[in-house]
Amino acid sequence: MTSSGAKPIDFAGRAASSPQFYALYAEGMKLVETTAAYLDGPGRAAAKMLSPLGAALYSTESIRLTTRLMQLASWLLLQRSLNTGEMTLDQVVQERRKLRLGDGDDRIPHGWKELPPGFRDLAAHTDRLEARIRKLDDSLMKTAAAQAPEIPENQVIAQIDLLQTAFARR
């Protein structure tokens, strides 16, 4: 609250329920579908043409990519549930803590250039989407923390402190 009693504008909350969020949601879900189709089709065929090192890297990075996309899709679904009223902010924050969004570490493993261009493009798109989601998530988590009610004082401990204070005076 400001000194005048007015509430500050919740830009993060507005962003999460804006048309831009729904565009981000659609992009994320489409990326999940596109990646799955690629990995099951052209990616599988391309992986058969790779060297043993490239094939092992492709396998590892495919698992990493699908895991990241599932985390991003879960985050998007949580936000959509909040926006539609299916979940409360507290529920979303609790579930959000179970997710692992990337830390922005853009490491490029040895042999990356050997991977098929289609796969590298999907990974780059996922990196960009993840960066945008992380930025929005940071804002939303700060907003949730600011809106969190104060934890009430433990009444038992407060009474014990009062008793100790009272008996210490004697």
Side-chain angles (χ1 to χ4, degrees), residues 21-99:
F21 168 77
Y22 288 104
L24 182 70
Y25 177 86
E27 178 185 347
M29 293 306 163
K30 177 73 172 155
L31 183 57
V32 169
E33 291 174 18
T34 302
T35 301
Y38 175 84
L39 293 175
D40 284 343
R44 187 174 302 208
K48 291 179 181 178
M49 309 303 275
L50 297 172
S51 70
L53 172 64
L57 181 61
Y58 181 83
S59 177
T60 301
E61 291 300 315
S62 295
I63 292 168
R64 184 174 172 263
L65 178 61
T66 55
T67 301
R68 288 173 61 210
L69 282 169
M70 290 301 102
Q71 293 293 311
L72 297 176
S74 295
W75 186 92
L76 290 165
L77 288 167
L78 282 173
Q79 293 308 313
R80 188 186 72 175
S81 295
L82 177 63
N83 295 343
T84 60
E86 296 172 38
M87 295 177 77
T88 66
L89 179 60
D90 289 340
Q91 290 171 320
V92 168
V93 169
Q94 281 298 104
E95 290 301 314
R96 163 53 188 96
R97 289 186 178 126
K98 297 175 187 175
L99 297 178

Side-chain angles (χ1 to χ4, degrees), residues 141-156:
M141 293 304 281
K142 286 177 186 172
T143 298
Q147 292 177 358
E150 289 186 31
I151 298 171
E153 182 179 354
N154 183 325
Q155 294 301 315
V156 173

Side-chain angles (χ1 to χ4, degrees), residues 107-118:
R107 65 170 182 77
I108 297 176
H110 177 71
W112 180 255
K113 294 275 189 198
E114 187 178 340
L115 297 178

